[in-house]
Tab-separated table of all heavy atoms in Angstrom:
chain	number	residue	atom	x	y	z
A	302	GLY	N	108.810	65.553	86.719
A	302	GLY	CA	109.255	64.802	87.901
A	302	GLY	C	110.673	64.310	87.713
A	302	GLY	O	111.158	64.222	86.583
A	315	LYS	N	107.820	70.102	74.010
A	315	LYS	CA	107.123	70.456	72.766
A	315	LYS	C	105.764	71.075	73.072
A	315	LYS	O	105.361	72.080	72.471
A	315	LYS	CB	106.937	69.206	71.908
A	315	LYS	CG	108.045	69.027	70.917
A	315	LYS	CD	107.514	68.334	69.680
A	315	LYS	CE	108.529	68.449	68.556
A	315	LYS	NZ	108.778	67.198	67.899
A	334	ILE	N	98.549	87.215	73.811
A	334	ILE	CA	98.005	88.188	74.771
A	334	ILE	C	97.132	89.196	74.027
A	334	ILE	O	96.024	89.524	74.457
A	334	ILE	CB	99.152	88.947	75.486
A	334	ILE	CG1	99.937	88.028	76.390
A	334	ILE	CG2	98.622	90.166	76.264
A	334	ILE	CD1	99.399	87.761	77.745
A	336	MET	N	95.487	88.812	71.501
A	336	MET	CA	94.211	88.206	71.105
A	336	MET	C	93.391	87.775	72.318
A	336	MET	O	92.408	87.063	72.201
A	336	MET	CB	94.475	87.019	70.187
A	336	MET	CG	94.961	87.460	68.807
A	336	MET	SD	95.161	86.095	67.676
A	336	MET	CE	96.612	85.308	68.252
A	345	ASN	N	97.478	73.480	86.914
A	345	ASN	CA	96.136	72.885	86.914
A	345	ASN	C	95.369	73.074	85.601
A	345	ASN	O	94.210	72.684	85.505
A	345	ASN	CB	95.315	73.427	88.094
A	345	ASN	CG	95.316	74.944	88.122
A	345	ASN	OD1	95.474	75.556	87.063
A	345	ASN	ND2	95.143	75.542	89.273
A	352	LEU	N	91.572	82.945	85.860
A	352	LEU	CA	92.162	82.908	87.203
A	352	LEU	C	92.400	84.330	87.704
A	352	LEU	O	92.061	84.671	88.850
A	352	LEU	CB	93.501	82.171	87.109
A	352	LEU	CG	93.986	81.336	88.277
A	352	LEU	CD1	92.944	80.325	88.683
A	352	LEU	CD2	95.279	80.622	87.904
A	378	LEU	N	95.098	114.831	109.245
A	378	LEU	CA	96.403	115.017	109.890
A	378	LEU	C	97.280	116.001	109.125
A	378	LEU	O	97.883	116.902	109.710
A	378	LEU	CB	97.138	113.675	109.986
A	378	LEU	CG	96.825	112.779	111.168
A	378	LEU	CD1	97.815	111.622	111.227
A	378	LEU	CD2	96.889	113.548	112.482
A	391	GLU	N	100.537	118.345	115.622
A	391	GLU	CA	101.759	118.318	114.817
A	391	GLU	C	102.767	117.312	115.381
A	391	GLU	O	103.424	116.600	114.622
A	391	GLU	CB	102.378	119.704	114.727
A	391	GLU	CG	103.240	119.782	113.479
A	391	GLU	CD	104.314	120.829	113.533
A	391	GLU	OE1	104.365	121.588	114.502
A	391	GLU	OE2	105.116	120.868	112.583
A	394	THR	N	101.608	113.955	114.421
A	394	THR	CA	101.817	113.746	112.987
A	394	THR	C	103.276	113.433	112.690
A	394	THR	O	103.575	112.545	111.878
A	394	THR	CB	101.392	115.017	112.206
A	394	THR	OG1	100.071	115.334	112.593
A	394	THR	CG2	101.442	114.796	110.713
A	412	LEU	N	101.917	92.623	113.883
A	412	LEU	CA	101.600	93.276	115.160
A	412	LEU	C	100.093	93.455	115.322
A	412	LEU	O	99.540	93.228	116.406
A	412	LEU	CB	102.273	94.651	115.240
A	412	LEU	CG	103.791	94.683	115.431
A	412	LEU	CD1	104.267	96.115	115.574
A	412	LEU	CD2	104.205	93.877	116.644
A	429	ARG	N	88.786	85.923	103.750
A	429	ARG	CA	87.936	86.905	103.081
A	429	ARG	C	86.641	86.227	102.685
A	429	ARG	O	86.653	85.066	102.268
A	429	ARG	CB	88.618	87.420	101.817
A	429	ARG	CG	87.715	88.273	100.948
A	429	ARG	CD	88.353	88.638	99.624
A	429	ARG	NE	87.463	89.481	98.836
A	429	ARG	CZ	86.706	89.047	97.840
A	429	ARG	NH1	86.732	87.772	97.493
A	429	ARG	NH2	85.923	89.874	97.179
A	431	GLU	N	82.669	87.275	100.655
A	431	GLU	CA	81.995	88.314	99.858
A	431	GLU	C	81.128	89.167	100.781
A	431	GLU	O	80.526	88.667	101.729
A	431	GLU	CB	81.090	87.652	98.809
A	431	GLU	CG	81.831	86.860	97.762
A	431	GLU	CD	82.604	87.720	96.786
A	431	GLU	OE1	82.269	88.912	96.652
A	431	GLU	OE2	83.565	87.207	96.176
A	436	PRO	N	77.822	90.777	105.387
A	436	PRO	CA	78.471	92.094	105.362
A	436	PRO	C	79.288	92.391	106.623
A	436	PRO	O	80.380	92.942	106.537
A	436	PRO	CB	77.302	93.068	105.242
A	436	PRO	CG	76.146	92.266	104.806
A	436	PRO	CD	76.383	90.861	105.217
A	442	LEU	N	86.691	91.389	108.444
A	442	LEU	CA	87.850	90.728	107.836
A	442	LEU	C	88.750	91.695	107.073
A	442	LEU	O	89.952	91.462	106.938
A	442	LEU	CB	87.383	89.604	106.900
A	442	LEU	CG	87.012	88.285	107.568
A	442	LEU	CD1	86.269	87.390	106.596
A	442	LEU	CD2	88.259	87.562	108.069
A	482	GLY	N	89.354	139.746	103.671
A	482	GLY	CA	88.479	139.557	104.826
A	482	GLY	C	87.764	138.224	104.830
A	482	GLY	O	86.800	138.018	105.572
A	484	SER	N	86.993	134.408	105.750
A	484	SER	CA	87.243	133.700	107.007
A	484	SER	C	88.365	132.682	106.782
A	484	SER	O	88.580	132.209	105.658
A	484	SER	CB	85.982	132.996	107.479
A	484	SER	OG	85.813	131.819	106.734
A	486	TRP	N	88.734	129.562	107.423
A	486	TRP	CA	88.372	128.256	106.867
A	486	TRP	C	88.109	128.330	105.374
A	486	TRP	O	88.449	127.419	104.635
A	486	TRP	CB	87.168	127.651	107.601
A	486	TRP	CG	87.616	127.030	108.881
A	486	TRP	CD1	87.373	127.483	110.141
A	486	TRP	CD2	88.458	125.879	109.019
A	486	TRP	NE1	87.999	126.688	111.068
A	486	TRP	CE2	88.673	125.691	110.413
A	486	TRP	CE3	89.055	124.990	108.129
A	486	TRP	CZ2	89.441	124.653	110.921
A	486	TRP	CZ3	89.829	123.957	108.631
A	486	TRP	CH2	90.012	123.792	110.013
A	524	ASP	N	96.039	85.881	104.361
A	524	ASP	CA	95.426	84.868	103.482
A	524	ASP	C	94.330	85.473	102.627
A	524	ASP	O	93.237	84.894	102.506
A	524	ASP	CB	94.852	83.710	104.316
A	524	ASP	CG	95.955	82.811	104.821
A	524	ASP	OD1	97.019	82.805	104.185
A	524	ASP	OD2	95.768	82.158	105.859
A	537	HIS	N	106.270	80.144	93.684
A	537	HIS	CA	106.680	78.938	94.402
A	537	HIS	C	106.479	77.677	93.571
A	537	HIS	O	107.253	76.733	93.674
A	537	HIS	CB	105.930	78.831	95.736
A	537	HIS	CG	106.452	79.794	96.771
A	537	HIS	ND1	107.748	79.759	97.224
A	537	HIS	CD2	105.867	80.823	97.425
A	537	HIS	CE1	107.943	80.714	98.108
A	537	HIS	NE2	106.811	81.387	98.253
A	541	TYR	N	104.845	79.681	85.378
A	541	TYR	CA	105.209	80.924	84.694
A	541	TYR	C	104.080	81.601	83.913
A	541	TYR	O	103.985	82.826	83.928
A	541	TYR	CB	106.446	80.710	83.824
A	541	TYR	CG	107.687	80.491	84.669
A	541	TYR	CD1	108.417	79.317	84.592
A	541	TYR	CD2	108.091	81.452	85.576
A	541	TYR	CE1	109.530	79.106	85.398
A	541	TYR	CE2	109.202	81.263	86.385
A	541	TYR	CZ	109.925	80.089	86.291
A	541	TYR	OH	111.013	79.885	87.097
A	549	LEU	N	101.760	91.199	84.213
A	549	LEU	CA	101.323	92.058	83.102
A	549	LEU	C	100.097	92.870	83.507
A	549	LEU	O	100.051	94.098	83.302
A	549	LEU	CB	101.003	91.201	81.881
A	549	LEU	CG	100.649	91.988	80.631
A	549	LEU	CD1	101.907	92.602	80.034
A	549	LEU	CD2	99.967	91.109	79.600
A	554	GLY	N	97.844	97.977	85.062
A	554	GLY	CA	96.997	98.755	85.970
A	554	GLY	C	97.748	99.959	86.521
A	554	GLY	O	97.228	101.070	86.580
A	561	ILE	N	95.752	108.207	84.235
A	561	ILE	CA	94.550	108.883	84.728
A	561	ILE	C	94.948	110.079	85.592
A	561	ILE	O	94.386	111.168	85.489
A	561	ILE	CB	93.665	107.899	85.539
A	561	ILE	CG1	93.122	106.828	84.597
A	561	ILE	CG2	92.509	108.632	86.233
A	561	ILE	CD1	92.381	105.705	85.293
A	567	SER	N	94.705	118.475	84.519
A	567	SER	CA	94.070	119.592	83.807
A	567	SER	C	92.730	119.930	84.445
A	567	SER	O	92.257	121.060	84.359
A	567	SER	CB	93.899	119.261	82.336
A	567	SER	OG	93.151	118.104	82.220
Side-chain angles (χ1 to χ4, degrees):
Chain A
K315 266 211 166 132
I334 292 277
M336 288 184 286
N345 52 27
L352 213 54
L378 275 190
E391 204 203 355
T394 307
L412 288 184
R429 171 187 181 260
E431 295 289 339
L442 279 167
S484 78
W486 280 109
D524 284 336
H537 285 299
Y541 291 119
L549 185 75
I561 294 173
S567 57

